[in-house]
Amino acid sequence: MRAVFVAAFVAFLISLFGTPIAIRYFTRLKADQPIRSEGPQTHLGKKGTPTMGGVVFIFATLVAYTGGHIALTTLPEKQLRPSGPTATAVVLLGLFVFTGLLGFLDDYLKVAKRNSDGLNKRGKLIGQALIGAIFGAIALYVPATQTGRQVVTTVASPKLSWVHDIDWFNITKIGAVIFFVFVVMSMSNAVNLTDGLDGLATGTSILVIGSYMAIAFWQYRHWCADESYTAGYCYDVRDPLEMALIAGAAVGALVGFLWWNTSPARIFMGDTGSMALGSLIAGLAVATKTILLLPLMGLLFFIIVVTWIMQIGSYRTTGKRIFRMVPLQHHFELAGWSEVNIVVRFWIIAGLGMAASLGLFAADFLRVMSGSG
């Protein structure tokens, strides 16, 4: 756990003190977020706020991951300590960085064109699909070497998972790569839709990624590859300490960023940050083998996507709107709720989903350990 704390603390410091530098730099470049004219009128006051802040917490996470690896050299469990970057790190950080770059391109085009269009929808989807396919293939086809008492073959599994693999639910490796692409695209766009109010996507991502940090570290302490672990139930995952380390670094970086991103925001994460966070969450869900738990773990993201689909579907089929405006947070803005009220209440919803997910994960472990399963 020491290495996870080191990574989180290093990322927090870099993000906390690095974000003001980014604010000054992006302000000087006039890289401010274009405000949609058809959006809530209260957002016109945000004009001039710099965007692309996701660059800061992506950079902080990468540096902190390296710092966490240095801290790993003090671990007594030498056989369980990754000696360097693993396939799990390649998949998770690769998704994080490359979807961040795709989002950066979108933000850059918005700033250059001085409108909110940016990269067209087809370009975004193709880019997300390619990134998901590349790292999905790595996750499903790059094998591991013998570790401890058994072989944990790949980062992802050809089986669907709930709180662990469902043995009878095998969708084959090709099917799993396709599903991996779907999850990456879904989560990238879900966090992107949620990002629209000061601190909303940042705070929600802290809760979700923090939960995956806890799950990954629990899996590390009850890992099938640990020869000293003798309890009856263990987790057949690959590199759980790496997952906890990356998640911890991301959480620390986001907490530091939230200091400047909370209302009134001094900087926005932009598509650079929201798309990167969504793909990281998707990767963590796949790597921890809790993929079907993701809609509950990311409850707020799920609600915002579903209500967006309902609105689009209703308008295209009947010409009528269900909500005043989507994404859902803007509906409540037009209903008269203050921005801070919406953000805090939505965080509460996200926290309920997080608590329920962790409860189900723990309940499964207790059920099996008690012998009732």
Side-chain angles (χ1 to χ4, degrees):
M1 197 65 177
R2 183 188 314 159
V4 177
F5 280 135
V6 167
F9 186 64
V10 169
F12 168 73
L13 291 179
I14 294 172
S15 192
L16 180 66
F17 294 108
T19 302
I21 298 172
I23 292 171
R24 290 193 294 270
Y25 180 72
F26 288 134
T27 300
R28 195 180 314 124
L29 292 179
K30 300 187 183 303
D32 53 290
Q33 175 73 48
I35 306 298
R36 290 191 306 163
S37 58
E38 66 272 19
Q41 294 303 298
T42 54
H43 287 207
L44 296 178
K46 299 175 186 286
K47 186 175 178 59
T49 305
T51 186
M52 305 184 193
V55 169
V56 179
F57 58 73
I58 292 172
F59 174 76
T61 300
L62 294 174
V63 174
Y65 168 75
T66 304
H69 260 276
I70 294 173
L72 284 177
T73 59
T74 63
L75 280 178
E77 300 95 338
K78 305 284 186 189
Q79 74 279 11
L80 299 178
R81 188 184 73 216
S83 57
T86 62
T88 302
V90 170
V91 171
L92 296 181
L93 294 178
L95 287 170
F96 196 43
V97 170
F98 282 94
T99 49
L101 287 172
L102 181 65
F104 183 84
L105 175 61
D106 186 39
D107 287 332
Y108 174 79
L109 291 175
K110 288 178 182 177
V111 170
K113 296 177 180 178
R114 309 310 301 170
N115 62 50
S116 58
D117 292 337
L119 189 64
N120 62 54
K121 292 179 181 178
R122 179 178 297 178
K124 278 187 185 178
L125 294 176
I126 292 174
Q128 291 168 346
L130 284 174
I131 293 166
I134 291 168
F135 290 103
I138 294 172
L140 267 298
Y141 286 96
V142 174
T145 55
Q146 180 74 33
T147 306
R149 63 189 180 192
Q150 76 178 72
V151 176
V152 182
T153 55
T154 54
V155 176
S157 170
K159 300 174 183 177
L160 288 186
S161 55
W162 167 238
V163 291
H164 49 70
D165 272 345
I166 303 171
D167 289 336
W168 54 268
F169 212 147
N170 192 318
I171 57 175
T172 73
K173 286 192 174 185
I174 293 176
V177 171
I178 294 171
F179 188 64
F180 186 96
V181 171
F182 169 75
V183 176
V184 168
M185 294 175 69
S186 298
M187 284 308 305
S188 291
N189 289 298
V191 180
N192 187 246
L193 287 172
T194 305
D195 182 34
L197 299 184
D198 296 349
L200 179 57
T202 307
T204 305
S205 297
I206 288 170
L207 293 172
V208 176
I209 297 174
S211 299
Y212 279 118
M213 178 186 71
I215 287 174
F217 189 76
W218 182 262
Q219 291 176 333
Y220 171 68
R221 300 307 299 176
H222 305 82
W223 192 19
C224 294
D226 184 356
E227 293 180 329
S228 65
Y229 181 69
T230 57
Y233 184 61
C234 63
Y235 293 96
D236 183 18
V237 294
R238 180 170 173 175
D239 310 314
L241 187 57
E242 283 279 82
M243 292 187 275
L245 192 65
I246 292 168
V251 167
L254 287 170
V255 172
F257 181 76
L258 183 61
W259 182 273
W260 305 101
N261 181 238
T262 193
S263 183
R266 297 278 306 280
I267 188 170
F268 301 136
M269 69 168 67
D271 286 6
T272 306
S274 60
M275 291 174 63
L277 290 172
S279 64
L280 177 61
I281 291 169
L284 286 167
V286 171
T288 57
K289 298 187 178 180
T290 56
I291 189 64
L292 296 182
L293 194 64
L294 181 56
L296 182 59
M297 183 72 82
L299 180 61
L300 180 64
F301 298 136
F302 182 74
I303 290 171
I304 286 177
V305 168
V306 168
T307 52
W308 183 82
I309 293 172
M310 289 169 58
Q311 178 89 325
I312 300 301
S314 175
Y315 187 74
R316 288 183 177 177
T317 55
T318 68
K320 296 180 179 179
R321 292 180 172 88
I322 302 172
F323 307 99
R324 290 181 172 92
M325 182 179 288
V326 289
L328 186 62
Q329 58 269 30
H330 299 321
H331 166 84
F332 289 103
E333 280 191 285
L334 295 179
W337 290 24
S338 72
E339 183 170 4
V340 172
N341 275 342
I342 298 169
V343 170
V344 172
R345 288 168 180 171
F346 276 31
W347 281 352
I348 292 171
I349 293 171
L352 291 173
M354 175 202 74
S357 300
L358 292 177
L360 287 171
F361 183 82
D364 177 75
F365 180 82
L366 294 173
R367 175 186 63 82
V368 175
M369 289 297 287
S370 67
S372 63

